[in-house]
Amino acid sequence: MATPTYDLLDSVTLSTVGTSITFSNINQGYRDLVLVASIEADAYDSWTGLRFNGVAGDYRNLFTSNASVSYTSATEIRCYGLQNTNRGTLIAHIIDYAKTDRNKGVIGTGGSLSVGMYSGRFTSNAAVTSLTLFGGQGLEWAAGTTVSIYGIAG
């Protein structure tokens, strides 16, 4: 099996306070996507949302945080572990994003003062052509927040 390569597709750094970052017209020529974020929250918030193709619905979440496990249906994939005013990191691996014969799986981790691990499923067979990462419950991000998206070839 060939060693996968990670190609930077796009990267956004906020120059002012913001609440979301959207990547549109995502190249469909890769096997998977990886989203890497360095986020600084303006206040306590327990999750950051991830939506595909502008769809608010059709997501399932399984997450662990501080030794508890939860399962939810939601209007987004909820990425846990970013909270308080500390800068936190978030990594999401989006599996088979361009395939049209299956739902899309997401696995990831996030952390600042606590660590959250999560998995989610977008219950649609549509190829992911855009994604939006946003602060849950009205969370704002500070200037300097950076989100990058990589395509995994191989």
Side-chain angles (χ1 to χ4, degrees), residues 54-123:
V55 175
D58 299 328
Y59 301 93
R60 305 294 181 267
N61 293 285
L62 178 67
F63 59 90
T64 63
S65 183
N66 297 328
S68 64
V69 177
S70 299
Y71 175 81
T72 63
S73 294
T75 59
E76 66 281 309
I77 291 176
R78 293 186 178 180
C79 311
Y80 287 83
L82 300 174
Q83 58 194 20
N84 297 322
T85 56
N86 294 338
R87 181 168 292 272
T89 57
L90 178 144
I91 300 170
H93 184 148
I94 304 153
I95 302 163
D96 290 333
Y97 76 100
K99 302 254 184 199
T100 57
D101 63 347
R102 64 196 71 185
N103 290 182
K104 308 305 174 276
V106 177
I107 54 174
T109 187
S112 57
L113 293 179
S114 66
V115 174
M117 293 179 289
Y118 58 89
S119 64
R121 181 168 56 100
F122 178 40
T123 59

Side-chain angles (χ1 to χ4, degrees), residues 31-35 50 52 92-97 104-107 128 131 149:
R31 185 187 70 212
D32 298 341
L33 297 175
V34 172
L35 187 72
L50 178 61
F52 301 126
H93 184 148
I94 304 153
I95 302 163
D96 290 333
Y97 76 100
K104 308 305 174 276
V106 177
I107 54 174
V128 174
L131 62 84
I149 186 169

